[in-house]
Amino acid sequence: MRYMGLDYGDKTVGVAVSDEMGITAQPYITITRERRNKLRQTCKQIEDIIREKNIEVIVVGKPLNMNGTEGERIEETREFIEMVRRRTGLTVEELDERLTTVEADRILDATGVAKENRKEYIDKMAAAIILQTYLDMKKNG
């Protein structure tokens, strides 16, 4: 079973995919849109990846505040999740995404990616962290 991880943002969606056994997550692509509410093309790209990679389950990062309460972006993220559910017909799981971007930045720093080049990688790396966290939780029950 293959999984997809999504890190939904204002102008980008980071995408990660799992290996065919659903054990490891790899950063895949960052989808960029010109305007915040223009999601039709974003969803089409997600659907294309689903077909290409035979994705069966999608995991989307849920933006929570550090104290665990729902953040200001939660409603917009919920609308995105519902749109993805409707358009794909797949199971869409939600996972706490607190600190994933911070962790992604730390990983990119450790691997020597220059700060000025990180924008290209940060969202798909955050998506991979979200997906790997989900895969690890699933494996460990």
Side-chain angles (χ1 to χ4, degrees):
M1 179 179 281
R2 279 188 108 170
Y3 299 82
M4 172 187 279
L6 300 175
D7 179 40
Y8 176 74
D10 289 341
K11 293 187 177 179
T12 62
V13 176
V15 180
V17 296
S18 75
D19 64 349
E20 292 180 357
M21 296 189 305
I23 297 172
T24 62
Q26 297 87 36
Y28 187 69
I29 190 172
T30 298
I31 300 169
T32 305
R33 60 190 182 280
E34 289 182 28
R35 284 192 259 143
R36 195 174 182 155
N37 59 351
K38 294 291 185 180
L39 289 170
R40 189 174 308 144
Q41 191 61 32
T42 298
C43 285
K44 173 156 180 1
Q45 287 181 267
I46 290 168
E47 291 166 341
D48 290 346
I49 296 166
I50 288 168
R51 279 190 294 282
E52 175 188 331
K53 299 292 186 183
N54 297 313
I55 301 295
E56 296 180 46
V57 175
I58 301 169
V59 182
V60 180
K62 184 177 178 182
L64 298 175
N65 294 320
M66 290 308 293
N67 65 3
T69 60
E70 294 184 347
E72 62 184 51
R73 295 196 57 250
I74 194 72
E75 206 50 50
E76 191 176 329
T77 302
R78 279 193 180 119
E79 290 172 14
F80 172 73
I81 290 168
E82 285 309 311
M83 181 183 296
V84 170
R85 276 190 183 120
R86 276 192 317 274
R87 287 186 63 137
T88 66
L90 296 177
T91 298
V92 180
E93 302 281 351
E94 299 174 23
L95 185 82
D96 179 356
E97 70 172 20
R98 283 179 285 179
L99 298 178
T100 55
T101 301
V102 172
E103 178 67 14
D105 193 52
R106 195 171 59 79
I107 291 168
L108 292 171
D109 188 47
T111 57
V113 176
K115 287 200 183 292
E116 58 271 9
N117 298 330
R118 290 190 191 166
K119 186 173 183 159
E120 178 182 344
Y121 301 102
I122 196 90
D123 296 318
K124 62 185 172 183
M125 181 65 74
I129 293 167
I130 291 165
L131 181 55
Q132 190 64 56
T133 301
Y134 175 84
L135 296 172
D136 291 347
M137 288 172 51
K138 188 170 172 49
K139 180 178 73 174
N140 295 326

